Amino acid sequence: MEELGGRLGELGVRPVHLTVAGLFLSVLAFLSSLKNSLLYYTIFLAFSGLMDMLDGPVARATGKASPLGAFLDSFVDRVSDVLLIISLVNFGLDWGFVTSLLVASLLISYSRARAESLGVSLEGVGLVERGERIILLTATAVLLAVNFTIGFATFILFLALSLETVAHRFIYVVQALRDSKPR
């Protein structure tokens, strides 16, 4: 991704272009779900995830990485998460299950942001970070289109991995903060 980010930067692509394009594609995915178009939802979801994977490498390659850009990227990622996850209700998944996944996804991101503000790095802690969540969401959508039962099973796996990540991060941060406490 870093090499591709460098090439895109050489073409004049700025990280904010990719961040905004990712948000736009997430909105299109959501709108596609309202029309019950699983095919277009999946296409827009996959390209939105690609934009999210590229904005950081472009920022680093062009020297445009900044706190403002990082905040914008994180904020847009949360908006996209909400749009993309709640869309699953439109494809027949139970609102309660979808809400559980949404809460878990937001807690995964929140725990990382809050822990890092306290000096605890959560990179690599838990089974599903943002990239894995986008892959699992895409796999769920594709499999829902092929066979609802298999798609639902994939969704349940996605939910279980997300809940594991929330619990793992919580325990990790509590332990790290407990260990760093002055005695």
Side-chain angles (χ1 to χ4, degrees):
M1 281 298 153
E2 296 300 322
E3 184 177 328
L4 181 55
R7 290 178 190 232
L8 288 171
E10 290 169 4
L11 294 173
V13 175
R14 296 176 51 150
V16 70
H17 297 153
L18 297 170
T19 300
V20 171
L23 177 61
F24 179 72
L25 289 162
S26 294
V27 169
L28 290 177
F30 173 74
L31 294 173
S32 296
S33 80
L34 294 175
K35 297 288 187 181
N36 206 25
S37 176
L38 198 48
L39 173 64
Y40 285 117
Y41 169 82
T42 305
I43 291 168
F44 292 134
L45 162 64
F47 280 105
S48 174
L50 180 62
M51 298 300 107
D52 184 51
M53 290 184 342
L54 289 171
D55 58 5
V58 169
R60 288 186 292 279
T62 59
K64 296 193 184 301
S66 70
L68 175 59
F71 173 77
L72 178 64
D73 178 52
S74 183
F75 187 86
V76 166
D77 286 351
R78 299 302 72 77
V79 172
S80 292
D81 286 347
V82 170
L83 291 172
L84 296 170
I85 291 171
I86 64 171
S87 294
L88 294 174
V89 170
N90 298 317
F91 301 121
L93 292 179
D94 177 76
W95 181 249
F97 283 124
V98 171
T99 302
S100 297
L101 179 62
L102 178 59
V103 170
S105 180
L106 294 173
L107 285 173
I108 290 168
S109 299
Y110 172 78
S111 64
R112 181 169 180 173
R114 185 64 177 130
E116 288 179 356
S117 77
L118 297 170
V120 178
S121 174
L122 285 181
E123 187 172 344
V125 176
L127 296 173
V128 287
E129 293 193 76
R130 174 104 171 119
E132 291 85 2
R133 291 196 312 273
I134 293 296
I135 291 167
L136 283 165
L137 189 56
T138 304
T140 297
V142 167
L143 292 170
L144 282 170
V146 172
N147 179 295
F148 184 85
T149 303
I150 295 171
F152 181 70
T154 304
F155 172 84
I156 294 299
L157 174 63
F158 182 12
L159 176 58
L161 294 172
S162 297
L163 293 172
E164 181 283 334
T165 300
V166 170
H168 190 166
R169 287 184 170 197
F170 180 82
I171 292 166
Y172 184 90
V173 171
V174 167
Q175 189 63 49
L177 294 174
R178 206 179 267 156
D179 291 346
S180 69
K181 185 177 179 183
R183 304 206 189 266

